[in-house]
Amino acid sequence: MQHTKQYKFLFLALGISLVLLFLANLSLGSVSIPFKDVIQTLAGGEATKNSWEYIILNYRLPKAITAIIVGIGLSISGLLMQTLFRNPLAGPYVLGLSSGASLGVAFIILGAGILPAFLGNIFISSYGVIIAAILGSFVVLLAVLLVAQRLKDTMAILIVGLMFGSFTSAIVSVLTYFSTAQQLQKFTFWAMGSLGSLPWKNISILGITCLAGIILAASCIKPLNALLLGERYAKSMGINFSKTRFIIILATSLLAGSITAFAGPIAFIGLAVPHIAKLLFKTSNHLILFWGTLLCGAIIMLLCDTITQLPGSDLTLPINAVTSIIGAPIVIWLLLRKRKGMYS
């Protein structure tokens, strides 16, 4: 009963924090907009200045919603991978999906120079980059799934995912070596990640894809609890392990692949957020942990995006740099805890 009250309090606190951070994200930036005008605009009213209304509805609101979707998707992907592989350092990138997306984009951006001009212009468009990233993730997913059919050991699949990631990263390195400075600049900007350049149409597609991934992941909550004690225990509990593993890999691919395609490779959120949720809720029950991770992911991504805007300044930091600055110390701390045998 005490735990139930504690969980309710934490969920309420996280929910309120999410709403406040969402409003703060819309309010802060190079142009500071009062909370009152933000709320009036969201409610369909008129802000004190027309320019504030334009900024909120056409720039900050799409970016904030994208941040929430990205935070939820990446953090849930990390939780799924850490439970499936029973490895606290596993994350959505271990299957090589992000590297596959990077490879697809690298082929388009860095290889566009060898194509005829009219074809190069078509492929180098924003839609061309998005399609290339999705195809890259999908090809790596197919390769991992084919290997997974032959491997029974989940740790072996983890290593295979890392090898696919290394392989695709090596090809990207070769492509960058032969690229011009202009092509390298374009690829570097994409690799930094961005939440603010998506039109509503793309946000809708991203939202639908991530919703499908979240529904698939939520259907595995009960099997995830059994997987904490290992593959054999899960099978003894009547869990169809192969089916569960396939659903988890598919859900992770949908979430991590689509997010990387639309927002670029964003590091550490998938790795660090599940651990923050575990520290807050102090439970391994995925019925609680799943929704806690979801809320924490949205909050931390909104926080990172708010920091990138540098309130009062025209400068905007790359989102990937901010998530790395926050996530890297957490990963180091986890490694130290694991070395001391304190990780549970």
Side-chain angles (χ1 to χ4, degrees), residues 125-287:
S125 67
S126 58
Y127 287 105
V129 171
I130 290 168
I131 292 170
I134 291 175
L135 285 176
S137 295
F138 188 68
V139 168
V140 173
L141 165 66
L142 284 180
V144 172
L145 286 177
L146 284 174
V147 176
Q149 296 297 320
R150 294 177 173 271
L151 294 175
K152 300 296 181 186
D153 184 6
T154 52
M155 288 306 296
I157 298 175
L158 175 66
I159 295 170
V160 168
L162 289 171
M163 292 303 102
F164 274 119
S166 299
F167 179 74
T168 52
S169 296
I171 296 177
V172 171
S173 298
V174 172
L175 287 172
T176 55
Y177 183 78
F178 291 103
S179 302
T180 64
Q182 187 181 9
Q183 290 170 331
L184 273 177
Q185 187 184 40
K186 287 182 180 177
F187 183 73
T188 302
F189 280 139
W190 177 84
M192 285 180 178
S194 174
L195 303 174
S197 57
L198 295 183
W200 283 111
K201 182 182 176 183
N202 287 3
I203 294 173
S204 302
I205 296 170
L206 176 62
I208 291 170
T209 311
C210 286
L211 180 63
I214 294 293
I215 291 172
L216 280 174
S219 70
C220 294
I221 286 178
K222 187 178 176 183
L224 284 171
N225 282 335
L227 284 174
L228 285 173
L229 296 176
E231 181 179 336
R232 290 183 181 177
Y233 177 80
K235 286 179 178 176
S236 71
M237 295 294 291
I239 303 294
N240 186 333
F241 180 73
S242 298
K243 180 183 174 184
T244 302
R245 185 173 64 175
F246 176 79
I247 293 174
I248 291 173
I249 291 174
L250 183 60
T252 305
S253 304
L254 280 174
L255 293 170
S258 59
I259 288 170
T260 305
F262 284 98
I266 295 176
F268 287 107
I269 294 296
L271 181 58
V273 171
H275 294 291
I276 294 172
K278 289 172 188 173
L279 285 173
L280 278 176
F281 287 90
K282 294 181 171 44
T283 180
S284 57
N285 183 357
H286 282 73
L287 191 59

